[in-house]
Amino acid sequence: MAELRDEAAAICDELAELRRAIHREPELGLDLPLTQQKVLAALDGLPLEIRRGESLSAVTAVLRGARPGATVLLRGDMDALPVTERTGLPYASRVDGVMHACGHDLHTAMLAGAARVLSARRGDLAGNVIFMFQPGEESEGGASRMIDEGVLDAAGSRPVAAFGLHVASALLPRGWFSTRAGALMAAADTMELTVRGRGGHGSQPHLAADPVQAACEIVTALQAMVTRRFDVFDPVVISVGSFHAGTASNVIPDEARLSATVRSFSPGARQRVLEEALRVVHGVAAAHGLSADAEFVDSYPVTVNDAAETTFATRTVTDMFGDSRFIPTPNPITGSEDFSLVLEQVPGAFILLGAGPPDSDPATAPYNHSAEAVFDDAVLADGTALLAELAMRRLGAAPEPGAAPAETVRG
Ligand SMILES: [Zn+2]
């Protein structure tokens, strides 16, 4: 076990160099040509089958072990955020208004490192590893496109397990790993709605059909729905963050436009909140003789960790780094993640890794997405080693054809 850690530690300077190069030139969304180039350069010469994405600048790399066996998928996302960096770091973003404020530069470097370390172990490997370098995590649905383009079938057989890491610049002490079985992160759905009425003079509302009044009632009815229709132990959150209507105090407008974010923590609650929210919107509008159009966009499902794979991943962390480097995630995180789409099809686990700078207090340090969020290179080797070890062990535990499943090993 210590070996993979040592092998990752031996390349920590190269990992930091790659990470900083990506950090200096961050790119947004689905089209990340410079990042893709850096990944391809880092993988150059390794015994990998490499495919580039068609509708996005993804990289899918497959490592085939010396012996046949199952397939495991490892994923790292590569995109940055529209944030102007204020860290003052020597390798800070050189691109105005774009920053790796969510640490995806570290994910990319760790995944490339895992490809490197595992390639050197190809002779010991029974089975295949798919390395999924994904653009467009932040809201563009990069995982969904990569799935459409066949990432899950890249090795010829569906992965038996999928793992991903996410760094955090706060909350967790540096070098600590954390995860939980079941829901780890929320589903996020955006509801766009338009309440359609009939405009008129503000002094004669009875001759118009006022969309502002109905829209206000919709906002409060949605909050009442949250408290009256949902179990407090399987919660949902709705926040109407945008509300636009009208041009003047004495003019009733024709319509009001609202948008809301909807968060939920179980697939069942998610399905119900989406249905019930539409019912409330249409019902309140109809009660006042108006109509409404509402739809959900930019949707990411709940990130659900498989119980057995989470136990396996947790044990791998504590075997490698000791009990003191692992803390269970107490509650699901209200942020969302499109690795959820992979985990809907392949059992697996998503794991958090504390990566704040050494002198910062995890309770108060600027968190992911902040212009001041700092992620420390010191975690790169351990993140790389964990990804590689998860694949190595999980394939080692995969049953030989015809053999009984190796449940005891998998744990
Ligand atoms: Zn992120």
Side-chain angles (χ1 to χ4, degrees):
M1 262 145 274
E3 288 175 38
L4 272 175
R5 270 187 84 179
D6 295 343
E7 286 160 32
I11 58 167
C12 68
D13 290 346
E14 290 156 59
L15 295 173
E17 203 176 301
L18 172 60
R19 180 267 163 143
R20 290 180 180 208
I22 296 169
H23 194 91
R24 264 183 229 112
E25 291 189 297
E27 297 175 290
L28 292 174
L30 297 167
D31 190 28
L32 321 171
L34 301 174
T35 311
Q36 184 188 44
Q37 256 172 36
K38 293 182 182 82
V39 168
L40 291 171
L43 302 181
D44 191 36
L46 300 179
L48 302 167
E49 294 164 19
I50 290 181
R51 228 181 46 214
R52 298 170 196 222
E54 287 155 34
S55 69
L56 72 175
S57 52
V59 176
T60 301
V62 176
L63 176 66
R64 295 194 188 276
R67 286 177 290 138
T71 298
V72 165
L73 182 145
L74 302 176
R75 179 269 207 170
D77 44 6
M78 308 197 286
D79 55 323
L81 283 159
V83 170
T84 300
E85 181 157 356
R86 289 199 312 265
T87 60
L89 290 167
Y91 56 88
S93 171
R94 291 177 184 166
V95 184
D96 253 1
V98 185
M99 172 187 176
H100 268 292
C102 201
H104 299 183
D105 47 338
L106 284 85
H107 305 163
T108 309
M110 292 189 292
L111 189 60
R116 172 91 179 272
V117 167
L118 286 170
S119 290
R121 291 293 197 90
R122 192 167 164 244
D124 305 331
L125 205 61
N128 315 304
V129 184
I130 300 171
F131 301 92
M132 174 180 179
F133 292 91
Q134 183 207 311
E137 190 281 325
E138 290 296 350
S139 62
E140 299 79 5
S144 147
R145 286 177 185 244
M146 287 191 75
I147 291 169
D148 289 347
E149 293 185 10
V151 68
L152 300 181
D153 298 308
S157 66
R158 275 277 156 132
V160 293
F163 301 101
L165 280 179
H166 205 303
V167 291
S169 59
L171 299 183
L172 280 173
R174 185 177 64 149
W176 286 33
F177 295 90
S178 183
T179 191
R180 75 196 299 274
L184 179 72
M185 298 179 78
D189 296 273
T190 302
M191 180 164 68
E192 303 279 6
L193 70 116
T194 304
V195 181
R196 300 190 194 286
R198 194 174 59 255
H201 199 291
S203 66
Q204 296 178 310
H206 61 291
L207 299 179
D210 184 0
V212 175
Q213 191 280 333
C216 291
E217 238 180 78
I218 286 171
V219 173
T220 54
L222 288 171
Q223 297 311 319
M225 176 196 82
V226 166
T227 70
R228 301 298 87 185
R229 301 288 301 148
F230 289 87
D231 184 342
V232 289
F233 296 109
D234 188 6
V236 301
V237 175
I238 300 184
S239 292
V240 177
S242 158
F243 189 126
H244 293 279
T247 52
S249 64
N250 57 359
V251 178
I252 292 171
D254 284 323
E255 59 181 39
R257 288 173 186 276
L258 288 70
S259 66
T261 190
V262 181
R263 306 280 160 137
S264 51
F265 300 90
S266 74
R270 181 189 186 210
Q271 192 189 341
R272 222 156 57 75
V273 72
L274 300 187
E275 289 167 11
E276 299 228 2
L278 291 180
R279 200 162 53 78
V280 166
V281 166
H282 292 302
V284 173
H288 295 285
L290 286 76
S291 66
D293 301 330
E295 60 170 350
F296 291 97
V297 297
D298 294 338
S299 296
Y300 284 176
V302 186
T303 302
V304 181
N305 279 342
D306 178 78
E309 298 300 342
T310 305
T311 303
F312 161 75
T314 304
R315 185 170 301 170
T316 305
V317 168
T318 54
D319 282 354
M320 292 178 77
F321 305 106
D323 290 348
S324 63
R325 295 265 303 271
F326 181 80
I327 182 171
T329 310
N331 296 308
I333 295 164
T334 50
S336 64
E337 198 9 275
D338 72 351
F339 188 54
S340 53
L341 293 164
V342 173
L343 293 180
E344 278 188 337
Q345 300 197 39
V346 179
F350 198 53
I351 301 151
L352 311 171
L353 168 57
D359 52 351
S360 72
D361 176 357
T364 55
Y367 189 48
N368 294 36
H369 290 209
S370 158
E372 289 161 13
V374 174
F375 302 86
D376 194 332
D377 296 332
V379 304
L380 290 171
D382 284 353
T384 295
L386 178 63
L387 288 173
E389 185 79 35
L390 287 168
M392 200 79 197
R393 283 196 190 193
R394 192 63 184 77
L395 291 177
E400 295 293 325
E407 278 307 323
T408 48
V409 185
R410 183 180 162 206

